[in-house]
Amino acid sequence: MPLWLDLLRTPMAAPESRSLRRMRFTWQGLCLSLALSVGLFTPFHRMAGQLAPVLVAVLLLVTALYTGLYVARKQRVDKAFLEGVGESG
């Protein structure tokens, strides 16, 4: 069997549970909020004043911490799933 066909048939990740889906949507929302707050910083700074850089920094920190939490949990679930189907590596 060609390698590309074997890779298509091989599960690469665990099916997404409801809690992981919620985490993924939260993570995507944090990333989008951070991108918007940085991309539209000038209007945000006009609205929030001197608090704007602090709010963006807090959003950056929360996004970074949540990214680590999400990635660690996703990796643990994927590893357990792949070991269960005999694809451990």
Side-chain angles (χ1 to χ4, degrees), residues 3-47:
L3 177 63
W4 66 269
L5 185 56
D6 189 39
L7 288 174
L8 282 177
R9 296 175 36 151
T10 304
M12 297 299 202
E16 190 173 55
S17 68
R18 185 172 291 191
S19 64
L20 271 178
R21 182 176 302 123
R22 188 174 28 248
M23 284 186 78
R24 180 172 52 87
F25 287 150
T26 301
W27 176 72
Q28 289 172 333
L30 284 168
C31 290
L32 182 61
S33 299
L34 182 59
L36 287 173
S37 68
V38 170
L40 300 172
F41 185 76
T42 302
F44 182 53
H45 190 265
R46 272 190 242 126
M47 288 184 346

Side-chain angles (χ1 to χ4, degrees), residues 30-78:
L30 284 168
C31 290
L32 182 61
S33 299
L34 182 59
L36 287 173
S37 68
V38 170
L40 300 172
F41 185 76
T42 302
F44 182 53
H45 190 265
R46 272 190 242 126
M47 288 184 346
Q50 296 300 320
L51 193 57
V54 175
L55 293 174
V56 172
V58 168
L59 187 56
L60 177 62
L61 179 64
V62 169
T63 302
L65 292 173
Y66 199 82
T67 298
L69 177 68
Y70 173 70
V71 168
R73 184 159 181 224
K74 178 76 171 130
Q75 290 293 321
R76 188 175 61 241
V77 169
D78 286 347

